[in-house]
Amino acid sequence: MAEQYNWWQTGIIYQIYPRSFQDSNDDGIGDLPGLIQRLDYVQSLGVDAIWLSPIYPSPMADFGYDISDYCNIHPMFGTLDDFDRLLAEAHRRGLKIILDLVPNHTSNQHPWFIESRRSRQSYRRDWYIWRDPAPDGGPPNNWLSIFGGPAWTFDETTGQYYLHQFAKEQPELNYRHPGVLAAMLHNMRFWLNRGVDGFRVDVIWLLIKDELFRDEPRNPAWDGVTPHNSLLHIHTQNLPETHLMIRQMRAILDEYDNRVMIGEISLPNEQLVEYYGPKYDECHLPFNFQLITLPWQATVVRHAVNAYEAALPAQGWPNWVLGNHDQHRLASRVGQAQARVATLLLLTLRGTPTCYYGDEIGMTDGEIPLEFVRDPMAVNQPELAHMLGRDPERTPMQWTAEPNAGFTNPNVQPWLPLAKDYKCNNVAAQENNPTSILNLFRLLAALRSAELSLSVGDYAAVETDAADVFAYTRRAPNAHPFLVVLNFGPESHLLNLSHIAPHAKIAAATDMEARGVVDLATLALEPNQGLLLQIG
Ligand code: NOJ
């Protein structure tokens, strides 16, 4: 039965932020040869695919999300040869490689933009979004940048403003010009021909903007904190024509075997699921970020899982994301004990799990002294840096207890400081500890791949009378069924789940200690404990 499924359905995706994984040339920044050295570790996790944040040439105004050449590798990360070696070494280990594609904007150093900005008559002018100033000389409309301030920057050379919803160094491409999509499809082919297994497409729901450049209305529900949220983004996000662009991107992937397109989309379920496409001809996986954004409470999460399951179209394959390079670390959001519960949840829900490097060892947000703050989101909005800054979740991987944690030469300054806990919290320390979260992760990944019910089985919520407990079953035909019971709270509970089965065998427990057969009529759940129970 598992053979009927694609690798991106049954597999686990592991996101690597290449700057922070492994440095091999002592410049304090991670690189591809370093990553190759760590592939055995990645394989040991039991994950199936690596999604790499951008590795292309870039002035690094937004750490690679500002690309100046789509068909090459930044020398800081290595060469195309290194990339080919990475691909071969990953494939040899049964690991897929997914690249980050950033089609919405380029770097302002990309030759397209340099040419576009040269003159109003430039043959590339309309590849970007240029507008005359408002009558008062100000920006053409009220659109805001996600990184703070207006989404428009005035360019002296030609006396017009250009659009950027992120840093001013990230001018937005104009997908109403057919040449732009054609060029991006060409870039996709370049990597697909090289053998990459797919793309995670950056802000895919932002590709098209209002043709009339109308002001966006005020958001009546604005909490007064993040300026970008003060408007309702009806003219810059989720426009209907976006789907036409995505279908053409997907058509390119479909020319190749077994590739995946994952869309970065932040929308409520009803709109999110439209990105599967009317004929399942858009994203294979529109990213589902709810486990990151919702309050960590059993009732909230249960409701979210049920609502998402209910919203999915018949052939829409679910997915769940627990962390990424834009959000505070899992263990910092929910605490170490609940990070284990969350890991059990992620790896037993129906749908492809995506986890962020370091979360498998419970890495926490680093403390970033002012002089090290690098993220434009924080640099541009210093008063909100503590909330919005993304440096804390991008600190170097913690491999060992030695200075610089084995990430780079002990005598080198890493590009971001290590999180303070690295001396006790690192891969080496956890490898040999049978109860570590790392070994929990491995056990769950192995079970997920071995047990059909866990990889592809149905999901059904189970009612319990404890508000802090979320329970559900996973079942596939002719396979062991499983019951998952998660305690989101600090109290213990005695549950009667005998309507599911009389007895169950503990297949995994978040503490990595509980074992044996349990009586489901009197199931004792410890504080912050999650159990994966085989019920047949
Ligand atoms: C989403 C990426 O995840 C984020 O890191 C980046 O800053 C923006 N898109 C702009 O590319």
Side-chain angles (χ1 to χ4, degrees):
M1 182 184 170
E3 303 81 57
Q4 301 162 9
Y5 291 84
N6 295 296
W7 63 267
W8 49 266
Q9 295 176 294
T10 53
I12 300 171
I13 300 172
Y14 183 71
Q15 182 194 354
I16 290 181
Y17 197 68
R19 295 179 69 91
S20 297
F21 205 58
Q22 182 63 54
D23 178 20
S24 75
N25 62 353
D26 296 352
D27 63 357
I29 301 172
D31 48 47
L32 299 186
L35 168 50
I36 294 170
Q37 291 166 24
R38 296 295 188 184
L39 282 177
D40 287 341
Y41 169 78
V42 177
Q43 187 186 23
S44 81
L45 297 175
V47 301
D48 303 85
I50 296 172
W51 149 35
L52 277 180
S53 283
I55 49 176
Y56 316 99
S58 159
M60 296 284 165
D62 187 21
F63 297 104
Y65 285 92
D66 50 321
I67 298 173
S68 52
D69 179 356
Y70 285 84
C71 298
N72 215 329
I73 301 290
H74 196 303
M76 175 191 285
F77 293 128
T79 62
L80 275 172
D81 281 348
D82 291 328
F83 181 77
D84 290 341
R85 207 154 52 82
L86 169 66
L87 207 54
E89 288 292 323
H91 285 168
R92 197 163 67 75
R93 291 169 175 81
L95 294 166
K96 308 280 185 188
I97 296 282
I98 300 168
L99 288 186
D100 215 312
L101 181 76
V102 189
N104 179 64
H105 42 270
T106 69
S107 159
N108 62 349
Q109 299 306 311
H110 194 292
W112 297 341
F113 188 70
I114 294 177
E115 171 57 37
S116 181
R117 131 192 268 182
R118 210 175 42 83
S119 98
R120 291 196 189 200
Q121 282 73 44
S122 163
Y123 72 107
R124 292 264 190 256
R125 187 64 173 180
D126 293 339
W127 277 39
Y128 292 85
I129 300 173
W130 293 97
R131 302 292 288 169
D132 283 334
D136 67 355
N141 65 22
N142 73 346
W143 295 356
L144 294 173
S145 160
I146 292 164
F147 288 175
W152 298 96
T153 287
F154 186 69
D155 191 49
E156 298 278 339
T157 327
T158 54
Q160 283 192 310
Y161 282 85
Y162 65 87
L163 180 72
H164 57 87
Q165 296 189 75
F166 297 92
K168 64 181 188 321
E169 294 85 359
Q170 292 168 294
E172 305 224 353
L173 285 161
N174 174 17
Y175 278 85
R176 295 186 185 274
H177 187 301
V180 171
L181 182 65
M184 207 48 74
L185 300 182
H186 168 87
N187 295 334
M188 291 172 74
R189 278 210 175 86
F190 175 86
W191 294 105
L192 292 167
N193 289 339
R194 265 196 133 78
V196 307
D197 300 289
F199 298 103
R200 170 270 189 189
V201 186
D202 193 68
V203 294
I204 202 167
W205 88 116
L206 265 52
L207 289 180
I208 295 271
K209 340 305 159 183
D210 181 37
E211 212 163 6
L212 303 175
F213 295 92
R214 285 167 286 190
D215 276 352
E216 293 192 319
R218 297 256 137 223
N219 175 3
W222 185 41
D223 60 3
V225 183
T226 316
H228 186 254
N229 294 345
S230 65
L231 300 179
L232 292 174
H233 303 295
I234 58 170
H235 297 314
T236 51
Q237 303 187 351
N238 194 30
L239 269 70
E241 301 94 317
T242 308
H243 293 276
L244 305 177
M245 304 298 119
I246 299 177
R247 272 172 234 162
Q248 294 180 67
M249 290 179 161
R250 168 65 182 270
I252 299 294
L253 272 104
D254 286 348
E255 291 172 14
Y256 298 78
D257 283 344
N258 272 327
R259 314 293 163 108
V260 69
M261 185 157 94
I262 306 172
E264 188 205 10
I265 302 158
S266 250
L267 286 172
N269 286 340
E270 298 65 43
Q271 290 145 35
L272 180 68
V273 297
E274 288 175 1
Y275 284 79
Y276 286 103
K279 300 192 184 122
Y280 302 100
D281 50 358
E282 296 184 22
C283 298
H284 295 102
L285 301 173
F287 259 156
N288 165 17
F289 295 124
Q290 298 179 80
L291 295 181
I292 298 182
T293 50
L294 290 174
W296 194 252
Q297 292 161 15
T299 42
V300 174
V301 172
R302 176 180 39 220
H303 181 262
V305 174
N306 291 344
Y308 177 68
E309 282 278 348
L312 284 170
Q315 292 166 51
W317 187 256
N319 78 91
W320 298 95
V321 184
L322 204 49
N324 64 33
H325 63 294
D326 293 330
Q327 304 290 339
H328 292 311
R329 284 267 177 201
L330 171 66
S332 295
R333 298 197 315 264
V334 303
Q336 290 292 359
Q338 282 298 316
R340 288 176 180 246
V341 174
T343 302
L344 208 166
L345 172 72
L346 177 76
L347 296 179
T348 58
L349 276 175
R350 190 175 82 91
T352 308
T354 297
C355 57
Y356 185 49
Y357 85 95
D359 280 353
E360 75 278 17
I361 57 165
M363 270 175 64
T364 50
D365 282 350
E367 267 174 51
I368 312 293
L370 220 51
E371 66 273 24
F372 279 103
V373 173
R374 301 290 202 84
D375 176 22
M377 185 98 119
V379 173
N380 297 350
Q381 311 175 87
E383 63 296 348
L384 297 173
H386 60 288
M387 255 178 60
L388 301 181
R390 299 171 298 175
D391 297 313
E393 59 263 25
R394 298 175 177 179
T395 60
M397 181 66 179
Q398 297 165 197
W399 298 105
T400 67
E402 67 179 319
N404 285 340
F407 162 69
T408 186
N409 185 312
N411 304 314
V412 162
Q413 174 80 65
W415 79 282
L416 278 180
L418 282 128
K420 287 217 172 70
D421 65 358
Y422 81 85
K423 290 212 167 87
C424 46
N425 194 17
N426 57 64
V427 172
Q430 293 199 21
E431 286 279 2
N432 300 323
N433 173 359
T435 64
S436 65
I437 183 169
L438 174 60
N439 284 319
L440 170 67
F441 186 98
R442 286 176 169 150
L443 172 64
L444 293 170
L447 283 164
R448 187 178 178 94
S449 109
E451 298 291 347
L452 219 50
S453 292
L454 294 178
S455 55
V456 299
D458 288 345
Y459 157 91
V462 170
E463 288 302 316
T464 74
D465 47 18
D468 269 348
V469 175
F470 175 27
Y472 51 92
T473 54
R474 299 290 316 281
R475 297 173 198 266
N478 309 318
H480 297 303
F482 286 86
L483 168 66
V484 180
V485 189
L486 304 171
N487 186 354
F488 278 57
E491 311 288 331
S492 53
H493 296 280
L494 194 62
L495 303 171
N496 181 354
L497 296 174
S498 55
H499 56 289
I500 303 294
H503 301 284
K505 192 176 111 202
I506 299 178
T510 46
D511 49 75
M512 291 295 276
E513 273 167 351
R515 285 208 167 77
V517 172
V518 288
D519 181 350
L520 286 184
T522 55
L523 179 67
L525 203 56
E526 300 293 317
N528 301 309
Q529 189 183 42
L531 295 174
L532 173 60
L533 302 164
Q534 188 183 314
I535 48 175

